[in-house]
Amino acid sequence: MDKLVVNGAKELSGSVEISGAKNAVLPLMAATLLTEGEHSINRVPDLKDTRTFLNLLEMLGAKSTYNNGDLLVDSSTINSVEAPYDLVKTMRASFYVMGPLLGRFGEARVSLPGGCAWGPRPVDYHLKGFENLGAEIILEKGYIIARAKKLKGALIHFDIPSVGATANILMASVLAEGKTQITNAAIEPHIVQLCEVLNEMGAHIEGVGSNILFVNGVEKLSPMKVETIPDMIEAGTFLIAGATLGNITLKKVDPTHLNIVIRKLEQAGCELVVNDNSITVNKCDKLQPVDMTTDVHPGFPTDLQAQWVALMSVANGSSHITDTIYHDRFAHVPELIRLGADISLNKNMALIRGPKKLKGAQVMSTDIRASASLLIGALIAEGESEISRIYHIDRGYEKIEEKFKLLGADIRRENG
Ligand code: UD1
C-alpha cells in the first residue's frame, strides 16, 4: 500500500493548475448511459474514482477511450443493467447509474451502498424519488432492483437538498413521461453543469441553478460534448494550504464556486487576488481563528471541513468548526492530534485550540478529504511525516504529490 512521506515546514510558491471536478464528472459519466451514440467529455481527471466509473460503464457494455483527460464513451452497446457489489462498495457514486438505466431501459440492478468512514449514508431519497416516478423497488440479496415500464413525471421533494439524489432523479426524470418537479433540489455547481449538459442533449429542464427544477420529459436525447468544470474542492484544498505555507496561484479555477472559502480565508487574515480564472493566495503570517459551519452550496462545503480543521490548528486562538451535513465526519481529528494539534470533539463540533506547533508523525488516512487534511498538517509540521493508506487521496486528487512538489514541497510516494 502506498504512503506519502513529507518533510514539512517548507515554504511553497508558484502556480498550480486545477483539474476537472470529480464530483461533476461522475454524474456526467453516468448520464452517458441515457442515450446511444458517442459522448465526449474533456478535462476528466485521472483519478481512482473516474477509473472505477469507467470500469463500471464498460461492465455495462459501453466502449470507451480515455486519453490525456479526453474521454469518449460509446453507450450504443449497453447490454447489462447491473452495478455489482465489488464496484459499488469502493465508490458510492456508482449508484448514479440507477437513474439513467431506469430511464432508458426501464430496469436497473445496483448493489446497495454500505456505510462509509463517516457513518451511514442512506439512499432513501433516491429510492423514494424513483418510486414517485412510478418504479417498483425491491431489495434482493443486497441489490436494489428498480423496474418501471415507463417512468411518469411526479412531484418530488427532498427534506435535505441531496446532491446525489438530485442528480439521480434528474437523470431518470428527463426520459419520464410528462412533468416532474423537484423541490429543495441541490444547487451545487456540479448539479448546475449536469442540468446544462442534459439540456444540451435535448432534455427540458427549467429552473437550472435554483432549488426548484421543472423537468418536461422527452422521448430521446442525443450524445453530450462537454468540458468538466474545475474542481472547487481541489482548489479549496490548495487555497487552504497556501494560507499558511506560501504564495500559491491557482489556475483554471472558477472563483465564483469558492466565494465562501475566499471570504473565510480573508477573515483569517489572508490576502487573496481573485481574477476570472485564477486566484492567488498569499501566506498569512498571523492567522486568525475563524469559526466555520458547513452547509449546502453556497455554504462552506463539508468536503473542505477537514482541511479547515488542519488550518485552524495553527491559527492564533480557538475556533469552532461544525459539520451539519455529516455529523460524524471527524476521523481526521485523532490523526491531526498525532501531529500535535489540540482539538476536542463535542458531537458534530470540533473545538480547535491554536496555535500549536505541529511536528511530523505517522498518520493514517481514512477517506478522501481526511487525507487532504493530513497532507496539509504534514506540510505544516516540522520534520518527517508518513501518511499511510494514501489510496484514499488517489480517489479524489489528481497527481497530488506532483502538484505540491512543483510548489516546492518535500514529498514523495513510497510503497509499503
Ligand atoms: C456528495 C459528494 C460528497 C459530498 C456530499 C455533500 C459526490 C460523488 N459526492 O455526496 O463528496 O460530501 O455530496 O456535499 O458528489 N441523505 C439522506 N438520504 C439520501 C441522500 C442523502 O438522508 O437518500 C443525507 C446524507 O446523509 C447527508 C445529506 O443528505 O446528510 C447530503 O448528502 P448528499 O448531498 O446526498 O451527499 P452525496 O451525494 O452522497
Side-chain angles (χ1 to χ4, degrees), residues 85-234:
Y85 174 67
D86 283 347
L87 281 184
V88 181
K89 77 170 187 223
T90 62
M91 187 184 65
R92 290 174 50 83
S94 314
F95 209 68
Y96 277 147
V97 300
M98 185 158 249
L101 288 176
L102 190 56
R104 177 168 161 203
F105 299 104
E107 184 172 356
R109 193 181 146 83
V110 180
S111 174
L112 184 63
C116 72
W118 62 88
R121 285 174 75 187
V123 286
D124 52 326
Y125 298 172
H126 303 238
L127 300 183
K128 191 89 203 344
F130 294 137
E131 268 177 351
N132 287 351
L133 292 171
E136 182 202 8
I137 306 280
I138 50 174
L139 176 67
E140 199 180 88
K141 296 184 182 161
Y143 279 75
I144 300 283
I145 301 165
R147 285 195 195 96
K149 275 213 174 68
K150 180 77 185 158
L151 295 175
K152 294 218 163 47
L155 294 180
I156 293 166
H157 176 82
F158 299 128
D159 290 338
I160 303 172
S162 155
V163 172
T166 303
N168 226 343
I169 298 304
L170 255 177
M171 289 190 278
S173 66
V174 289
L175 289 177
E177 205 175 273
K179 293 182 196 284
T180 297
Q181 185 179 331
I182 307 175
T183 52
N184 209 18
I187 58 163
E188 268 65 6
H190 30 292
I191 293 293
V192 175
Q193 177 164 53
L194 177 65
C195 290
E196 288 169 353
V197 170
L198 290 171
N199 277 344
E200 279 160 26
M201 292 167 77
H204 286 173
I205 307 169
E206 284 176 23
V208 177
S210 81
N211 63 359
I212 305 184
L213 297 170
F214 301 92
V215 184
N216 220 331
V218 295
E219 284 281 318
K220 199 154 172 42
L221 299 168
S222 45
M224 70 177 78
K225 181 160 178 36
V226 57
E227 178 173 301
T228 315
I229 55 171
D231 195 317
M232 62 186 233
I233 304 301
E234 186 199 19

